[in-house]
Amino acid sequence: GPAMNIKRSPLCGRNFEYYSEDPLLTGKLSSAMVRGIQSQNVAATVKHFACNNKETNRKHSDSRLSQRALRELYLKAFEIIVREAGPWAIMSSYNVINGHRASESRELLTNILRDEWGYDGIVMTDWWTRGEQYKEILAGNDLKMANGYPERVRAAMEKGLVTRSDLEICARRVLGLILKIDN
């Protein structure tokens, strides 16, 4: 943890682990939690980035929303925690956002999270995500949970869809995390 999504429906199966419907409150409470966890050289993994609003069919649900709603409501708590607490790990979500898998979204995982907010930790997929691993690598996901598909990544490399350099970027971030927790 912490789980950072906002409470959008009283029927959401994850409400027991989400803080609030208020992104400011969620961001502030979660930041304190991450600082406490990481003060003990334990990596906090912030989840589910982003727009994970339901449990039923969450691997296929498509969260349709405007850029304004995305940034002001759904991403705001994550932005606060990245800027205030610097989590060492973030878990991407299963769902689709405006027609694109969150785990394969370069806009979300690299342009916003890394480039705009300055995040420098690892990003991992949620367990058994439906995303294509080489696309997740290109988007900025460093680690495939609970397993990867090396044969599919190798096939993508042979087709020129992903490069060794792309894999080295992910490996560098994973090794960086290992060095942080190995104190």
Side-chain angles (χ1 to χ4, degrees), residues 152-172:
R152 289 162 73 172
V153 173
R154 181 177 300 280
M157 285 181 73
E158 290 168 359
K159 293 177 184 174
L161 300 172
V162 66
T163 66
R164 179 184 173 100
S165 177
D166 296 321
L167 299 176
E168 288 171 350
I169 291 168
C170 297
R172 190 175 309 115

Side-chain angles (χ1 to χ4, degrees), residues 11-14 52-62 94-95:
L11 302 177
C12 178
R14 292 290 176 128
N52 184 59
N53 295 317
K54 62 187 235 174
E55 199 65 19
T56 304
N57 197 35
R58 70 184 179 134
K59 291 183 181 182
H60 301 289
S61 68
D62 190 351
Y94 284 124
N95 57 295

Side-chain angles (χ1 to χ4, degrees), residues 3-8 15 17-27 29-30 73 77:
M4 302 276 303
N5 295 97
I6 61 171
K7 292 182 181 181
R8 188 171 173 206
N15 279 349
E17 63 181 332
Y18 295 156
Y19 288 96
S20 172
E21 65 281 350
D22 183 316
L24 177 64
L25 182 60
T26 296
L29 290 171
S30 298
L73 299 174

Side-chain angles (χ1 to χ4, degrees), residues 59 94 125-131 144-147 149:
K59 291 183 181 182
Y94 284 124
T125 68
D126 205 338
W127 288 67
W128 311 106
T129 183
R130 300 271 191 222
K144 180 85 168 178
M145 300 299 287
N147 67 338
Y149 298 98

Side-chain angles (χ1 to χ4, degrees), residues 64-77:
R64 296 285 176 155
L65 59 161
S66 69
Q67 276 294 313
R68 182 176 180 184
L70 179 67
R71 288 184 174 269
E72 291 181 7
L73 299 174
Y74 294 91
L75 296 183
K76 183 52 75 177

